[in-house]
Amino acid sequence: MVEREGSSHHGLVKLRDYVDTLNSGWVNGQNHPVVTDGHSAVLRVDADNGFAQPVLEDVRDALSRKARSCGIALLSIRNSHHYSALWPDILPYARDGLLAFAFLNSRSRLAPFGGNSKLFGTNPMAFACPRLGGPPVVWDQASSIVSAMQLVRAEKQGEELPEGIGIDRDGKPTTDPARILAGGAQLPFGAHKGSMIALTVEIMAAALTGAAFGFEDSSPNYPGAMTSNAGLSMIVIDPRATSSAFEERVSELCAKLAANGAARVPGETRDPEPFHNSEYVVVDDRDFQNATRLAARKGS
């Protein structure tokens, strides 16, 4: 879905990283998640050091039922790995009439505002909600100015970055993605404001779930590992618990947003139905060749 939607930095470009991460032994490819359902509005999951996406798929119905029953529900996942965009995980809730807000921490890559070395992860968060007469409103953003994968891609293509993206290992500003990746740090968007959001996501995704903080990540001990053993939390709300005209009000707000000159309402290009009907997806030649090599290796 992410490749079809155009988020190429979260699509096939990561296929090799998934394979290498599994081969390194860092991720448990045969994991058996343990779900604890001991509270009317909470689901707790230990993902057994596996990928988070299968867990998110498995608990979706149970979490939705809790949200409809209590008006709000919390999902807490620890000991997991998530290495993709967050919006595909929350969009199904919005398509089912619910709001969803997700928080995900990752390995330490981001310097706090005023700091000189990495501490937080790039720490994305995502939000989705339904609206009347249109696709759900959905957005997904990192706490850094650019994603880590955008840095990796810029380095591979020999591109310089705009100023203000990151610092080198000595805490000095740099536009060289290689120097940021080699012991430097990315910078938060919006200076101190983005830094506070990164802090909040670290608390919501790691402290709240019992997962590792970004600075506690030990993936460098596993050559080839690209993911973080971290945490994810999600809040799901049934808007009917507090509003009888929620979707209509959201639609009214979106209409005002569009009429105000905005390029688009967040989420308008992320409704999956048009992409499901597409006969093909345009793929970068480098990513296509990489996927072909991986497929050939698996078959040999």
Side-chain angles (χ1 to χ4, degrees):
M1 186 189 295
V2 290
E3 192 75 40
R4 287 172 172 171
E5 185 267 350
S7 301
S8 58
H9 54 282
H10 279 302
L12 288 174
V13 68
K14 289 190 171 185
L15 185 59
R16 174 65 180 269
D17 293 339
Y18 273 106
V19 174
D20 288 348
T21 298
L22 285 167
N23 289 340
S24 73
W26 172 237
V27 173
N28 180 7
Q30 303 295 325
N31 64 315
H32 296 283
V34 177
V35 180
T36 302
D37 185 1
H39 193 286
S40 59
V42 178
L43 274 179
R44 297 178 58 200
V45 184
D46 185 318
D48 192 25
N49 198 35
F51 288 116
Q53 286 88 342
V55 174
L56 290 165
E57 182 71 25
D58 289 344
V59 303
R60 183 178 298 148
D61 288 345
L63 188 63
S64 295
R65 286 195 299 271
K66 285 180 177 292
R68 295 196 188 283
S69 174
C70 300
I72 187 170
L74 171 68
L75 172 64
S76 165
I77 303 178
R78 63 178 298 276
N79 196 17
S80 69
H81 299 256
H82 193 293
Y83 194 56
S84 186
L86 270 178
W87 65 265
D89 304 324
I90 61 173
L91 183 60
Y93 293 98
R95 291 176 63 82
D96 199 29
L98 301 169
L99 286 80
F101 205 176
F103 307 86
L104 172 68
N105 77 310
S106 59
R107 72 170 66 172
S108 180
R109 290 191 175 98
L110 189 76
F113 178 69
N116 55 22
S117 61
K118 59 187 179 182
L119 175 63
F120 302 135
T122 52
N123 289 8
M125 58 183 177
F127 171 82
C129 76
R131 64 166 163 149
L132 185 68
V137 174
V138 57
W139 55 258
D140 177 356
Q141 65 182 45
S143 300
S144 54
I145 298 174
V146 299
S147 71
M149 283 307 300
Q150 286 173 285
L151 285 185
V152 172
R153 179 155 264 183
E155 180 190 28
K156 288 180 178 178
Q157 296 178 351
E159 298 174 352
E160 287 285 305
L161 298 168
E163 294 183 359
I165 298 295
I167 55 178
D168 63 18
R169 63 172 64 247
D170 297 318
K172 303 293 180 61
T174 180
T175 59
D176 183 351
R179 296 177 68 184
I180 299 173
L181 293 168
Q186 295 176 240
L187 295 176
F189 74 85
H192 62 285
K193 296 181 180 180
S195 186
M196 292 305 96
I197 289 176
L199 169 65
T200 300
V201 173
E202 199 81 35
I203 292 170
M204 290 293 296
L208 185 63
T209 66
F213 288 118
F215 62 82
E216 295 173 321
D217 181 75
S218 58
S219 57
N221 297 330
Y222 294 79
M226 295 297 294
T227 62
S228 308
N229 183 306
L232 185 153
S233 66
M234 185 184 300
I235 299 170
V236 178
I237 301 171
D238 185 352
R240 292 173 297 184
T242 58
S243 174
S244 60
F246 175 81
E247 293 191 27
E248 291 88 340
R249 296 290 286 160
V250 173
S251 182
E252 179 182 351
L253 177 60
C254 290
K256 291 292 186 181
L257 176 62
N260 199 265
R264 64 179 177 86
V265 174
E268 284 189 336
T269 64
R270 287 181 170 170
D271 186 11
E273 292 303 325
F275 304 113
H276 286 172
N277 296 328
S278 298
E279 296 181 0
Y280 61 88
V281 177
V282 177
V283 177
D284 180 89
D285 185 61
R286 185 197 304 265
D287 297 335
F288 177 78
Q289 292 180 11
N290 182 43
T292 302
R293 284 193 295 268
L294 289 171
R297 182 192 303 176
K298 185 178 187 299
S300 61

